[in-house]
Amino acid sequence: MSLESVFCQGGPLRRVFSHYEPRQAQTTMAQAVEDALEAGGVLLAEAGTGTGKTLAYLVPALLCGRTVVISTGTRNLQDQIYFKDLSQLLTALEVDASVAYLKGQENYVCRRRLAQLAHTGRALAHPAHRIEELLSWSKRTHSGDRMELPQLADDDALWQEVCSTKDTRIGAKCPFHSECFVTLARQRASRARIVVVNHHLYFADLSTRLKGGTLLPKHSAAVFDEAHLIEDIATEFFSVAVSSSKIWHLAQDALASVRCAALSIDPYENTRPKLADAVRSAAQDLFFNLGAKEAGRVDFDPTGLSREEIERYHRLDSALEALQHSLLAIEGQDEAVDHAAHRCDDLRRDLASLLGRPPKDYVPWLETRARSVVVGMSPIDVSGMLRDGVFFNLPTVVLVSATLSTAGDFTYLKSRLGLDFPTQDLSLPSPFDYSRQARLFLPTDLPDPRDSTFMDAAAHWTAQLAQLTLGGALVLCTSIRGMQGMYERLAQCAPFPLLLQGQAPKSVLIDRFMQDTTSILCATSSFWQGVDLPGHALRLVVIDKLPFAFPGDPLTSARIAALNESGRGAFHAYQLPQAALQLKQGFGRLIRTARDRGIVAILDRRLLTMSYAKLFLRSLPPCPATTDFAELKQWWLECEKSVTPQNGEPAD
Ligand code: SF4
C-alpha cells in the first residue's frame, strides 16, 4: 500500500476518521518518515498544530514491517495514540500488525504490595472501602493500569503505597510474578511490532540498559513525539536523587515485608519497629534541616556541610545499616525481605555519593517540596548520552514536535541533543489561517517586567482583555509567584470565575474551564504545553513575561556557566532559543482547530524594545500583531458576529 493511496481524498482514512481531509503537509511528512525508516538516519520533523502529524508517522510505521517504538511526552498522548489513533488505523489500513503499549511501572498496581497492605496494620491509615475497591478492581482488571481509575489524584497517597516502583519491584522471584501486571505488559510489548511508550519509560530503559538490564523490546526505529521534552526527561533519568519520602517508604516497606513473610526465626522481631523508627527520624532530622522555608530547587554544596549536618548524615547511615542487618539476620529465604535489605544498601550508597564531592559534570541541588525534601545531582549535559544511547544505537530515529526550531533554525535543539552529524530537517507550517483566526496584542504602556508596578499593570490589562472576550482566558505566567499575584489581583478586578493551577488536579481544572466558558484559568509550568482546549472555550491567551528559564535554578545556571566557559555565549546558544521555543508552545495553546478564533496578548515590553525580540516574533506562527487596543477590539467584535448563537462556534 502506497502513502499516496492512504492519504488521498477517497482513501481508507476517510472510512474511520469522518472529518479526514488530505493535507499536503501531512503527506510530505509521512513521505519523509517513510524515507527515514527505509534509508535510516535521524529525521527532525517540525509540524505546526493541525498538520495531522500523528497519522503522518503512524501510517509509515505500520506499513514498514519493522519493530518501531513510538514514544510520547505525556501519558495523555500515549493513551490517545494507542486507544484511538492506532486502533482506528489498523481497521482503516487492514494491516496485520501487533501493537502494544507500555507505561512506567508506577502506573501499574503491584499485587504484592497491595496484598501486603491489606494484611498489615498500615491499611488502617487509609479508608477501608478504598482498599476494598482497589482489591476488587485488581481482580477484575486486565491491565492493572491506573488509567482505569480516573478518580485517582496524581499524588494519591494510597496509590503510592500499592503501585509498582523501581525500588519495590522484585521481579522473577516474586510470588506474584506470573500474574504481575508489569510482567504481563512487558510480555505483550515484547511480542508486538509497534510499541507505544512515553519518554519517561524510554529513558528509564536507557538508564537501565547502561546497568545491563532492559525494559523495552529490541527495536530498530524510534519515533519521539513531543521531542522538545527529551532533554529535560533524559536529564531526570540520568540524575541521582534521594528524598525523605523515599526513605520513609523504605522503612515502611521493610516492616510490611517482614510481617507478611511469617518467618519462624526472626531475632529482631521485637526491635525492628524501633530500628525503622530510627531510620525515619534520622531522615527527618537530616532532610528537614537541610530543606529551605520556601518550596523550590536551590544550589546545594555537599562539600560545605556543617559538623551537625555531617553528624545527622552519619546517624541516618547507621540507622539504615542497622535496619539492613536486622533484615539480613532473618533465617530463611524471602524475596521481599531480601529486596528491602538491598534497598537499604542502595540508599546508603546513593546518600554517600550525594553528600560527597560531586562528579565534575554533575550539578548538586536541594529541592524542598510540600511534604518532602530531595537531595540530588543532575548531569549538566546529556547530549553525549543521547547521541551514544539513542541516535548511534538505532538505525532510524524520528523527532517530531510543533516546536523544534526557532524561526526554522534547528541549531539549538541539535546542540542540546548531541545531533552533531548530518540529519534530515523538515519544518512544515500549520494549515491554520492565523491572519484570519488570531491576533497578537502587544500593549505599549506596561512597565518593565522587573519593575515593582508590573504586576498591577499586567493584571489590569488581563482584566480589560477578558472583558473584551467575556472570559475564556488562559493566563500563562512564568513563575508560581507571578501566577498567584495575577490570581489575587484578578480576583479584585475581573468579574469572571477564576481557576488557579494547584487548586485541583490538572484534568479537573481543564474540565471546569471547558464547562464554564466565561472562566479565567491562571497557570504556570505544565500548562504552557500539552494542554488542548479546542473550540470557543479558549479565546484569549495572556502571557505575562518572556519565558526565560530562571537563572537561579542550579541546573540552568550550571548550563549557562558551562556554555560561557566554552566560549559559546549562553544567552544566544541556550537562554534565548529555549525561551523562544517555550513562547511558541504557550502561543500554540490558542488555535487548535480551523474553527478557533482568539487573541494572544504578551505583556512583556521587551518584545517591543529589545533587539533579540525579532527571534521570538519570527518563531511564532504568522499572526498579525497590533499594539492598538481599539483595532484589536474592532477585529474581535467582527469575529464575534460570525459566531452562531446555538453552539458558540464560529459559523464558517
Ligand atoms: S513482580 Fe514486582 S510489580 Fe509484580 S507483583 Fe511482584 S513485586 Fe509487584
Side-chain angles (χ1 to χ4, degrees):
M1 194 181 301
S2 71
L3 289 179
E4 289 76 29
S5 66
V6 175
F7 288 103
C8 66
Q9 186 68 50
L13 296 180
R14 195 60 187 264
R15 284 208 301 273
V16 291
F17 302 102
S18 53
H19 297 296
Y20 179 76
E21 292 292 338
R23 281 164 272 187
Q24 186 52 50
Q26 186 179 49
T27 315
T28 305
M29 180 175 155
Q31 192 60 60
V33 175
E34 187 180 71
D35 293 347
L37 287 166
E38 268 173 32
V42 176
L43 166 69
L44 281 78
E46 181 180 59
T49 317
T51 310
K53 57 185 165 46
T54 313
L55 296 190
Y57 61 73
L58 285 181
V59 171
L62 277 170
L63 296 180
C64 74
R66 290 166 55 182
T67 303
V68 183
V69 169
I70 310 283
S71 181
T72 66
T74 57
R75 281 193 309 232
N76 282 352
L77 182 58
Q78 187 185 6
D79 289 340
Q80 186 203 307
I81 288 178
Y82 181 77
F83 291 103
K84 265 180 73 190
D85 301 332
L86 257 182
S87 68
Q88 285 174 302
L89 265 184
L90 286 172
T91 310
L93 303 182
E94 295 173 358
V95 287
D96 187 18
S98 50
V99 301
Y101 81 95
L102 192 57
K103 294 185 178 173
Q105 57 197 49
E106 56 296 328
N107 289 284
Y108 300 93
V109 68
C110 167
R111 289 190 189 275
R112 182 184 65 81
R113 290 186 86 198
L114 181 57
Q116 213 171 56
L117 185 85
H119 285 100
T120 63
R122 275 298 304 158
L124 298 176
H126 302 282
H129 74 273
R130 290 207 57 208
I131 296 181
E132 274 310 312
E133 277 164 19
L134 269 181
L135 278 168
S136 91
W137 168 74
S138 74
K139 288 175 192 146
R140 289 192 314 270
T141 174
H142 291 296
S143 72
D145 184 346
R146 61 171 294 164
M147 174 197 66
E148 294 177 15
L149 306 168
Q151 70 280 13
L152 273 192
D154 286 352
D155 60 348
D156 185 89
L158 175 56
W159 183 260
Q160 307 300 329
E161 292 199 36
V162 299
C163 66
S164 170
T165 71
K166 180 162 72 72
D167 293 331
T168 57
R169 183 172 152 80
I170 290 178
K173 290 181 181 161
C174 171
F176 296 91
H177 187 252
S178 61
E179 48 180 336
C180 165
F181 295 114
V182 179
T183 310
L184 296 173
R186 287 184 186 167
Q187 284 169 354
R188 284 193 293 272
S190 70
R191 293 190 294 267
R193 202 169 66 61
I194 305 288
V195 185
V196 187
V197 304
N198 56 45
H199 299 344
H200 287 87
L201 180 60
Y202 200 92
F203 292 108
D205 175 66
L206 190 53
S207 72
T208 308
R209 266 192 278 140
L210 295 176
K211 295 172 201 145
T214 182
L215 304 174
L216 292 180
K218 209 167 159 21
H219 52 284
S220 61
V223 177
F224 292 93
D225 200 341
E226 298 172 323
H228 58 279
L229 297 171
I230 285 179
E231 185 188 13
D232 284 349
I233 297 174
T235 300
E236 191 184 321
F237 278 92
F238 291 116
S239 298
V240 180
V242 173
S243 67
S244 50
S245 66
K246 186 169 182 170
I247 298 176
W248 191 88
H249 279 296
L250 164 66
Q252 185 175 306
D253 288 344
L255 289 183
S257 329
V258 176
R259 277 191 209 121
C260 279
L263 302 150
S264 48
I265 303 177
D266 179 4
Y268 286 90
E269 189 177 355
N270 297 324
T271 52
R272 191 171 296 101
K274 281 201 189 117
L275 295 176
D277 275 349
V279 166
R280 284 192 196 116
S281 77
Q284 181 96 353
D285 198 27
L286 171 67
F287 280 81
F288 286 91
N289 273 297
L290 287 175
K293 284 198 182 69
E294 283 192 17
R297 192 179 276 198
V298 293
D299 283 325
F300 175 60
D301 178 9
T303 61
L305 292 180
S306 67
R307 217 184 59 217
E308 289 79 20
E309 286 165 340
I310 293 171
E311 277 169 14
R312 286 187 191 113
Y313 159 56
H314 285 306
R315 234 183 352 262
L316 174 58
D317 184 61
S318 302
L320 280 166
E321 187 181 24
L323 181 63
Q324 183 184 359
H325 281 166
S326 83
L327 296 166
L328 292 172
I330 292 170
E331 283 191 25
Q333 198 69 24
D334 182 275
E335 283 307 323
V337 174
D338 241 30
H339 193 72
H342 279 114
R343 281 171 67 193
C344 291
D345 204 34
D346 291 345
L347 265 179
R348 291 179 64 205
R349 219 183 14 253
D350 284 349
L351 273 171
S353 73
L354 288 167
L355 299 179
R357 186 170 289 283
K360 188 167 70 58
D361 303 331
Y362 278 69
V363 56
W365 46 264
L366 181 81
E367 187 171 318
T368 306
R369 298 179 184 163
R371 286 195 289 256
S372 71
V373 176
V374 193
V375 178
M377 61 178 171
S378 301
I380 296 170
D381 184 352
V382 291
S383 62
M385 298 171 189
L386 291 171
R387 188 177 46 234
D388 297 343
V390 181
F391 302 118
F392 282 179
N393 196 38
L394 291 173
T396 302
V397 180
V398 178
L399 302 176
V400 180
S401 172
T403 51
L404 294 180
S405 80
T406 48
D409 179 357
F410 292 84
T411 308
Y412 164 73
L413 190 93
K414 288 185 183 185
S415 72
R416 302 309 307 167
L417 301 188
L419 294 165
D420 51 5
F421 50 88
T423 58
Q424 291 293 320
D425 306 340
L426 189 66
S427 185
L428 298 162
S430 164
F432 299 150
D433 183 355
Y434 283 92
S435 65
R436 200 170 50 87
Q437 294 182 251
R439 283 293 178 275
L440 172 62
F441 179 56
L442 305 169
T444 55
D445 59 351
L446 278 150
D448 185 278
R450 289 157 291 192
D451 193 288
S452 61
T453 59
F454 172 77
M455 187 65 76
D456 287 334
H460 170 78
W461 262 118
T462 305
Q464 193 172 340
L465 288 158
Q467 281 291 359
L468 176 63
T469 58
L470 299 179
L474 174 64
V475 183
L476 294 174
C477 301
T478 51
S479 67
I480 293 176
R481 186 178 294 181
M483 173 185 79
Q484 277 162 342
M486 183 68 92
Y487 176 81
E488 284 158 16
R489 284 165 179 81
L490 288 176
Q492 306 294 321
C493 62
F496 300 103
L498 279 178
L499 300 166
L500 179 70
Q501 180 178 338
Q503 273 175 341
K506 188 174 176 181
S507 57
V508 174
L509 282 179
I510 287 174
D511 281 351
R512 286 182 196 158
F513 183 81
M514 293 300 278
Q515 272 160 23
D516 187 339
T517 57
T518 64
S519 49
I520 300 177
L521 170 56
C522 296
T524 180
S525 55
S526 63
F527 280 74
W528 280 76
Q529 43 192 292
V531 171
D532 193 18
L533 301 165
H536 191 62
L538 179 63
R539 353 186 236 289
L540 171 64
V541 172
V542 178
I543 291 172
D544 69 340
K545 298 177 188 175
L546 293 178
F548 287 108
F550 174 52
D553 172 70
L555 192 54
T556 304
S557 83
R559 285 177 172 164
I560 291 172
L563 283 163
N564 284 335
E565 270 167 34
S566 73
R568 289 186 53 209
F571 184 70
H572 287 283
Y574 179 58
Q575 293 166 278
L576 186 56
Q578 185 191 46
L581 286 180
Q582 176 78 339
L583 187 74
K584 197 168 163 181
Q585 277 288 342
F587 187 103
R589 296 313 99 215
L590 183 69
I591 302 297
R592 309 302 295 172
T593 76
R595 296 161 67 84
D596 294 357
R597 302 281 190 280
I599 298 165
V600 175
I602 304 175
L603 307 182
D604 192 327
R605 59 177 288 119
R606 289 176 293 182
L607 216 41
L608 296 166
T609 57
M610 305 304 281
S611 57
Y612 60 70
K614 280 193 231 86
L615 184 77
F616 283 103
L617 294 171
R618 289 207 328 263
S619 298
L620 296 178
C623 169
T626 179
T627 56
D628 182 348
F629 183 68
E631 185 188 322
L632 180 79
K633 187 173 175 182
Q634 191 184 354
W635 175 79
W636 179 250
L637 294 176
E638 289 295 322
C639 271
E640 284 292 85
K641 279 188 204 153
S642 66
V643 173
T644 54
Q646 295 92 330
N647 59 12
E649 294 285 338
D652 63 339

